[in-house]
Amino acid sequence: MHITVALIGFGNVGRALARLLMRKTDVLRQDYNLTFTVTGIATNSRGCAIDPGGIHLETALKLVEAGDGLRSLHRGDPVIETLDFIERCPASLILESTWLNPHTGQPAADYARAALRAGRHVVTANKGPVAFAYRELCELARQNGRGFFFESTVMDGAPVLGLGREALLATDIHRIHGILNSTTNFVLTQIEEGSSLEQAVQQAQQMGLAEADPANDLEGWDAAVKIVVLANVLMGADLRPADVDRTGITGLAVDDIRAAVASGERYKLLCEAVREGETVRACVRPVRLPLSDPLSQIRGTSSAVTFETDTLSHLTLIEGDPDPETTAYGMLVDMINITRERYL
Amino acid sequence: MHITVALIGFGNVGRALARLLMRKTDVLRQDYNLTFTVTGIATNSRGCAIDPGGIHLETALKLVEAGDGLRSLHRGDPVIETLDFIERCPASLILESTWLNPHTGQPAADYARAALRAGRHVVTANKGPVAFAYRELCELARQNGRGFFFESTVMDGAPVLGLGREALLATDIHRIHGILNSTTNFVLTQIEEGSSLEQAVQQAQQMGLAEADPANDLEGWDAAVKIVVLANVLMGADLRPADVDRTGITGLAVDDIRAAVASGERYKLLCEAVREGETVRACVRPVRLPLSDPLSQIRGTSSAVTFETDTLSHLTLIEGDPDPETTAYGMLVDMINITRERYL
């Protein structure tokens, strides 16, 4: 099988995906009988390129990493903006990893909508489309007979959503809880080890974990978006991030964080979704966990989630030490599973 | 879709599966458009029953739990033994949960062989067929266009093997390690809390965890069989249980187990498979783990496994507090995934 793919977003994750696609070309052919051509790349600040004959990924990476644009790789009329790119790029599958506005889910939700309407499969690492328009996009994908997969939206490349689709079958998930935001977990770990809040945030920014404005992470918005994704996809809820009862870590005093450690506990920013009768209630808040709780052992940038269901008492998934390639890997797995028609 | 299924084995797991099938009948129909008829049940000590019109599961459960045999439910010529049952029972799928001889993998390996040759899908909770004849049985399943699934062989109903099939794609797993035997983990936890080895083993037997002869667990055979399943299925190895470098927990002194706790560590019976060049080396041995290692927090009958791959640094799956229905649930998931043709 041969597929044409387009990349939207060519930041840390998009470029890691390009490198991963190059590195895994032989394995995809040998193990999955899958070959691919990248027919387009759209970026926010480096322009767009469409080439039906195939874009050479190594050249595209070199251009962008040298600070140049992609326009020299483009064939045909200039591309006006990303929606124009989605319409015109001859690709059966879109791999999307753009920046998210956590309060609106845009522009990624519009990209997914446009791509599915144009009959393209969509793989996104972007929580926006799922947190704000999950039901609509699923229905659109179904009507067009296309796949809409988003493994990398929660816990990077760890197969949380694949688990739901392929393993947590015919079961009633009554509670999901976990540590889903790496920046706050890293910051809490650093404070326990002696840093101030400011030092810890600065270090997270230097590592590329936290944005220039870290409020999105520290105030629990990123965590809220992620628990909404899990609640909507795995528990049949229809929540929006604003529905989440949300408290970030900015109200925690450094002394309290260290006092917890001294008494054999650790503060964690816990995300939780619980079924209550016909509804699902979600919250994000700092909680003191005893060291005997496996979630208390999740340090630094690692993350974890526990499912409680009527057939599996407790099932926990932990992802240790992720990097941008981990997120890209989740997208690669989605791409393989779409070509294997796992969306049917 | 309607399928006919036969149960081989009607002990704790087989009966839990029968109850689960009854409880999930409506969900299977609503969520997966799947209906089923149980056309046969084969037991070791309670006889066999075949009824092409369908066996009433509640009646079968009542008979066996009252100490009676199943022969009153049988229609047609008497069934001589299980291989005769497999040949004659009109079922498209076999759900097998019989007792295992860990040194030979029999008789379950022969059952799987016969069922696949007769053109039936096979779901087994039995490690024997996979640890002793994985490649042969996969090839047989492929030739016959049938599914051969075995989620419940390792960590009960936790989706370890489903993860490999659906999520750990195009990745090179270079190490798997975990705690895979519940009896020894329970015994170690009980000893840490003050029991003697004999008391802990007796309690495990009373709970139905350990066999009358607990050597299979305590000497690491069960753990060895499980790490062989993971190495063969997920790492492409071709090991047998006798190839595993195996040390059980019988050589550990109660004082050493408690001394480890006093110095902030815990003994665990660790299973490990590591790629070394072209080969995979497997071992089972008691190891002292620091409390900061998430595997040290696996208490009682819980189990855990960590994968290290070239695309996911560390991915850990923990199953907390399993019971016989957890194992049955893994078989139900396999049954659904076979009807969804996930084996293709």
Side-chain angles (χ1 to χ4, degrees):
Chain A
M1 184 181 181
H2 185 83
I3 53 162
T4 46
V5 304
L7 275 66
I8 302 182
F10 209 54
N12 283 339
V13 172
R15 294 202 304 278
L17 178 59
R19 283 189 289 269
L20 189 62
L21 285 168
M22 286 160 56
R23 184 156 76 81
K24 294 294 186 183
T25 299
D26 291 346
V27 172
L28 291 176
R29 193 179 50 239
Q30 284 158 24
D31 292 2
Y32 303 95
N33 194 27
L34 179 62
T35 56
F36 65 90
T37 305
V38 176
T39 52
I41 303 176
T43 76
N44 196 30
S45 56
R46 303 284 170 195
C48 296
I50 294 177
D51 184 346
I55 288 175
H56 193 245
L57 285 176
E58 207 162 335
T59 308
L61 285 166
K62 276 189 185 143
L63 282 171
V64 167
E65 279 160 8
D68 294 327
L70 293 177
R71 287 188 187 82
S72 62
L73 302 180
H74 182 67
R75 303 281 171 271
D77 295 337
V79 176
I80 302 161
E81 40 80 69
T82 306
L83 288 172
D84 182 37
F85 174 89
I86 291 169
E87 193 61 42
R88 286 169 49 197
C89 185
S92 60
L93 188 145
I94 299 278
L95 295 161
E96 194 266 331
S97 63
T98 61
W99 178 83
L100 168 75
N101 179 332
H103 303 285
T104 65
Q106 292 294 20
D110 280 347
Y111 296 165
R113 227 172 249 128
L116 290 169
R117 284 203 186 113
R120 314 198 194 284
H121 301 291
V122 172
V123 170
T124 180
N126 208 311
K127 298 171 281 291
V130 191
F132 288 88
Y134 174 62
R135 292 190 181 189
E136 176 205 341
L137 292 170
C138 282
E139 179 57 22
L140 206 52
R142 198 193 57 74
Q143 284 168 5
N144 288 278
R146 292 296 179 272
F148 170 53
F149 275 16
F150 42 84
E151 186 60 86
S152 299
T153 56
V154 182
M155 286 176 69
D156 314 289
V160 185
L161 297 157
L163 210 73
R165 192 179 65 242
E166 302 294 339
L168 297 176
L169 308 180
T171 193
D172 181 21
I173 301 178
H174 46 80
R175 181 170 180 245
I176 298 176
H177 73 287
I179 297 168
L180 302 177
N181 176 262
S182 324
T183 298
T184 47
N185 203 56
F186 175 82
V187 164
L188 290 171
T189 303
Q190 291 300 106
I191 291 174
E192 287 170 1
E193 291 174 359
S195 299
S196 69
L197 176 66
E198 294 67 29
Q199 286 169 331
V201 169
Q202 205 170 30
Q203 201 180 333
Q205 285 166 331
Q206 280 160 3
M207 290 164 64
L209 268 183
E211 306 278 337
D213 174 5
N216 184 20
D217 288 322
L218 300 183
E219 290 172 7
W221 276 108
D222 177 78
V225 172
K226 285 172 174 164
I227 194 69
V228 164
V229 169
L230 295 184
N232 289 358
V233 177
L234 301 176
M235 297 174 81
D238 193 20
L239 299 174
R240 297 293 174 275
D243 299 328
V244 177
D245 180 1
R246 180 186 48 79
T247 308
I249 65 164
T250 49
L252 284 183
V254 164
D255 288 347
D256 288 343
I257 294 169
R258 292 185 193 143
V261 178
S263 56
E265 298 189 319
R266 285 201 184 111
Y267 267 108
K268 293 291 173 189
L269 185 64
L270 204 74
C271 305
E272 187 179 22
V274 185
R275 182 174 306 287
E276 288 181 350
E278 293 298 295
T279 65
V280 174
R281 185 181 53 75
C283 64
V284 169
R285 61 182 196 279
V287 171
R288 278 172 78 138
L289 298 178
L291 293 183
S292 60
D293 187 321
L295 292 188
S296 76
Q297 306 295 330
I298 307 304
R299 310 282 285 158
T301 60
S302 298
S303 56
V305 68
T306 297
F307 301 97
E308 293 169 39
T309 91
D310 71 319
T311 54
L312 291 170
S313 167
H314 289 81
L315 184 70
T316 299
L317 196 65
I318 302 174
E319 182 186 52
D321 313 314
D323 60 29
E325 196 185 272
T326 319
T327 304
Y329 176 63
M331 300 179 78
L332 181 75
V333 170
D334 278 348
M335 175 176 127
I336 297 170
N337 277 330
I338 281 183
T339 65
R340 301 200 299 177
E341 299 191 327
R342 289 300 196 248
Y343 57 91
L344 291 181
Chain B
M1 184 181 179
H2 185 83
I3 53 162
T4 45
V5 304
L7 276 66
I8 303 182
F10 210 54
N12 282 339
V13 172
R15 294 202 304 278
L17 178 59
R19 283 188 289 268
L20 189 63
L21 284 167
M22 286 160 56
R23 184 155 75 81
K24 294 294 184 182
T25 299
D26 291 345
V27 173
L28 292 176
R29 192 179 52 239
Q30 283 157 25
D31 292 0
Y32 303 94
N33 193 26
L34 179 62
T35 56
F36 64 90
T37 306
V38 176
T39 52
I41 303 176
T43 76
N44 194 31
S45 56
R46 304 283 171 195
C48 296
I50 294 177
D51 185 346
I55 289 175
H56 193 244
L57 284 176
E58 206 162 336
T59 309
L61 284 166
K62 275 189 188 146
L63 282 171
V64 167
E65 279 160 7
D68 294 327
L70 293 176
R71 286 189 188 80
S72 62
L73 303 179
H74 181 68
R75 304 280 170 274
D77 295 336
V79 176
I80 303 162
E81 40 80 67
T82 305
L83 288 172
D84 182 38
F85 174 88
I86 291 169
E87 193 62 42
R88 286 170 47 197
C89 185
S92 60
L93 188 145
I94 299 278
L95 295 161
E96 191 267 330
S97 63
T98 60
W99 178 84
L100 168 75
N101 178 332
H103 304 285
T104 65
Q106 292 294 18
D110 279 347
Y111 296 164
R113 226 171 249 129
L116 290 169
R117 284 203 185 112
R120 314 198 194 284
H121 300 293
V122 172
V123 169
T124 177
N126 208 311
K127 297 169 284 291
V130 191
F132 288 88
Y134 174 61
R135 292 190 180 191
E136 176 205 340
L137 292 170
C138 281
E139 178 56 22
L140 206 53
R142 198 192 58 74
Q143 284 169 5
N144 288 279
R146 292 297 179 273
F148 169 53
F149 275 14
F150 41 85
E151 187 59 87
S152 299
T153 55
V154 181
M155 285 175 69
D156 314 289
V160 186
L161 296 157
L163 211 72
R165 192 180 63 240
E166 302 295 337
L168 298 176
L169 308 180
T171 195
D172 181 21
I173 302 177
H174 46 78
R175 181 169 178 245
I176 298 176
H177 73 287
I179 297 169
L180 302 176
N181 177 264
S182 325
T183 299
T184 47
N185 204 55
F186 175 82
V187 164
L188 288 171
T189 302
Q190 291 299 107
I191 290 173
E192 287 170 359
E193 290 173 358
S195 297
S196 68
L197 176 67
E198 293 67 30
Q199 286 169 332
V201 168
Q202 204 170 33
Q203 202 179 333
Q205 285 166 331
Q206 279 160 3
M207 290 163 66
L209 269 183
E211 306 278 337
D213 174 5
N216 184 20
D217 288 321
L218 300 182
E219 291 171 7
W221 276 109
D222 177 77
V225 172
K226 285 173 174 161
I227 194 67
V228 164
V229 169
L230 295 183
N232 289 358
V233 177
L234 301 176
M235 298 175 81
D238 193 20
L239 299 174
R240 296 294 174 274
D243 300 328
V244 177
D245 180 2
R246 179 185 48 78
T247 308
I249 65 163
T250 47
L252 285 181
V254 163
D255 288 348
D256 289 342
I257 294 168
R258 292 183 193 144
V261 177
S263 55
E265 298 189 319
R266 284 198 186 115
Y267 267 107
K268 292 292 174 188
L269 186 64
L270 204 74
C271 305
E272 187 179 24
V274 186
R275 183 175 305 288
E276 289 182 348
E278 293 299 294
T279 65
V280 174
R281 185 180 52 75
C283 64
V284 169
R285 61 182 196 281
V287 171
R288 277 172 78 138
L289 297 178
L291 292 183
S292 60
D293 186 321
L295 293 188
S296 76
Q297 307 294 331
I298 307 304
R299 310 281 285 159
T301 60
S302 299
S303 56
V305 68
T306 297
F307 301 97
E308 294 169 40
T309 90
D310 70 320
T311 54
L312 292 169
S313 167
H314 289 82
L315 184 71
T316 299
L317 196 65
I318 301 174
E319 182 186 52
D321 312 314
D323 60 28
E325 195 183 274
T326 320
T327 305
Y329 176 62
M331 300 180 77
L332 181 74
V333 171
D334 278 348
M335 175 176 127
I336 296 171
N337 277 329
I338 280 182
T339 66
R340 302 200 297 177
E341 298 192 329
R342 289 300 196 249
Y343 57 91
L344 292 181

